[in-house]
Amino acid sequence: MFLIFALISLLGALMMFRMRNLIMAGLSLVLCFTGVAGLFLLLANPVAAALQIIVYAGAILVLVLFVIMLLASHEEEPSEKPRGIQRWASALTVALLGASAFGLVMRSPLLASVPDSKVDPMTLQRLGVLLFKEHLLAFEITGLLLLAAMIAAVSLVKREL
Amino acid sequence: MTPTQTLLHGSLQAYIFLALLLFVIGLATVLIRRSLLMQFMGIELMLNAANLALLAFARYRGGDVQGTVFYLFIIAVAACEAAVGLALVVALFRHKQTTDSDRADALKQ
C-alpha cells in the first residue's frame, strides 16, 4: 500500500514540475496531495488525511486554479533573457542538496533502527481534547491570523478601499 | 524482513525519503520554473513534504497527538499564506500584466 500511494504522490509532483499548461500542473498537484492523504491514512492518522483533502486539495488548490483562470495565464510566458547560467546553477544546487540529504537519510543508523510499534489510530476526540486543553491560546491566535490574512488579501487586491 | 523490504513496505526511513523527494521536486519547481503561480505551487509542495515528515515522526513516536495539533496549525498558516500570496500575484498582474517572476524586477532598476 505504501508503495502505491508513494508512487501516486511522486507521479503527481513530477507531472506538476514538467507540465507546460498551468491548469494541468495544478490538477497534477491535486493528484499528489491525494496520494499524500493516502500516506497519512497509512500513518494511522485519518484526521490528518481528511484535513489534507479538505484544506489542500479542496481549498488551496481550487484557489490557485481560480487565480490561474482569472489571470488567463495558462502557459508560462516566453522568457525575455535566456539566463542559462542561473538555470543550470539552480538545477545543480537542487541535485547537490538532494543527493547529500539522501545520503544522510539512508546512512542514518538511528532512523533505520526505529521500532515499528502498533499505535491507535488518531481520533478527532483525542485531537480536540489536547487542542483545547493545552493549545487554546494558539488556537485563538490562529483565528486572528486568518482574519488578518483575509483583510490583507482583500486590501491588496481591491483598487480603492 | 531485509532492509529493502522494510523500505518498500513503509518504514520511518521510507517516509522521510519520500518527503525528501517531494521537497526536492518542490524546490526545483521554485528555482527553475518562471511563472509565479508555478513557484507558488512548488512552495505548497515543499510545505506538504514537511508535513509528511512531521506526521511520520509523530506516528513512530507511538502515535503522538501533538504532531497532529502542529499539523493543524501548519495548514491554518498555509491557508493564510495562500490567500496573501495569491493576492500579491493578482496585484502584480494588475500592475505589470505579467505573472513571470523574471519580469517583476522593478526593485533592481
Side-chain angles (χ1 to χ4, degrees):
Chain A
M1 279 315 267
F2 171 78
L3 209 56
I4 299 173
F5 284 125
L7 283 181
I8 289 178
S9 47
L10 269 184
L11 184 76
L14 277 177
M15 270 162 65
M16 194 256 318
F17 177 55
R18 292 301 309 162
M19 280 292 171
R20 289 257 143 255
N21 190 322
L22 258 65
I23 302 243
M24 292 305 288
L27 291 178
S28 325
L29 201 56
V30 171
L31 182 71
C32 171
F33 284 170
T34 317
V36 174
L39 288 173
F40 288 168
L41 273 184
L42 290 186
L43 287 169
N45 206 332
V47 180
L51 279 175
Q52 171 86 6
I53 295 210
I54 294 171
V55 177
Y56 268 108
I60 295 184
L61 256 298
V62 168
L63 201 62
V64 174
L65 287 175
F66 186 75
V67 169
I68 294 174
M69 294 182 197
L70 181 76
L71 302 185
S73 56
H74 296 221
E75 300 275 328
E76 219 164 41
E77 296 157 41
S79 59
E80 17 175 43
K81 288 173 230 150
R83 297 189 203 260
I85 299 170
Q86 286 174 19
R87 229 141 277 275
W88 280 109
S90 39
L92 194 68
T93 314
V94 168
L96 276 180
L97 196 69
S100 50
F102 172 77
L104 277 180
V105 169
M106 282 301 147
R107 277 190 285 115
S108 155
L110 278 177
L111 265 186
S113 65
V114 174
D116 188 2
S117 50
K118 271 255 173 260
V119 293
D120 305 332
M122 182 67 54
T123 57
L124 263 183
Q125 193 201 357
R126 280 166 71 200
L127 176 67
V129 167
L130 189 72
L131 185 62
F132 288 104
K133 257 192 185 154
E134 285 185 27
H135 302 280
L136 189 59
L137 181 66
F139 183 75
E140 298 293 340
I141 292 176
T142 310
L144 265 183
L145 181 69
L146 281 168
L147 177 69
M150 191 175 78
I151 295 174
V154 170
S155 69
L156 271 174
V157 174
K158 210 159 164 53
R159 255 169 259 221
E160 284 151 25
L161 278 176
Chain B
M1 282 204 279
T2 63
T4 328
Q5 267 176 330
T6 53
L7 267 189
L8 287 184
H9 287 90
S11 57
L12 178 58
Q13 219 175 1
Y15 280 101
I16 302 302
F17 179 52
L18 180 67
L20 182 71
L21 277 181
L22 290 179
F23 187 90
V24 166
I25 296 175
L27 185 65
T29 312
V30 172
L31 287 179
I32 294 175
R33 299 293 298 254
R34 270 175 296 104
S35 166
L36 278 171
L37 290 159
M38 279 307 293
Q39 293 180 343
F40 187 81
M41 287 195 258
I43 292 172
E44 295 293 337
L45 187 57
M46 288 199 283
L47 206 55
N48 224 42
N51 280 338
L52 182 61
L54 174 75
L55 285 181
F57 277 122
R59 186 229 173 279
Y60 282 90
R61 265 178 61 86
D64 202 338
V65 193
Q66 300 274 5
T68 315
V69 173
F70 248 88
Y71 173 70
L72 199 70
F73 287 128
I74 292 174
I75 53 174
V77 174
C80 295
E81 172 247 318
V84 176
L86 288 173
L88 280 172
V89 175
V90 173
L92 177 78
F93 188 79
R94 285 251 175 88
H95 228 70
K96 304 196 107 167
Q97 308 300 316
T98 180
T99 57
D100 190 334
S101 55
D102 279 0
R103 289 190 171 87
D105 53 359
L107 281 180
K108 235 164 59 178
Q109 286 150 11

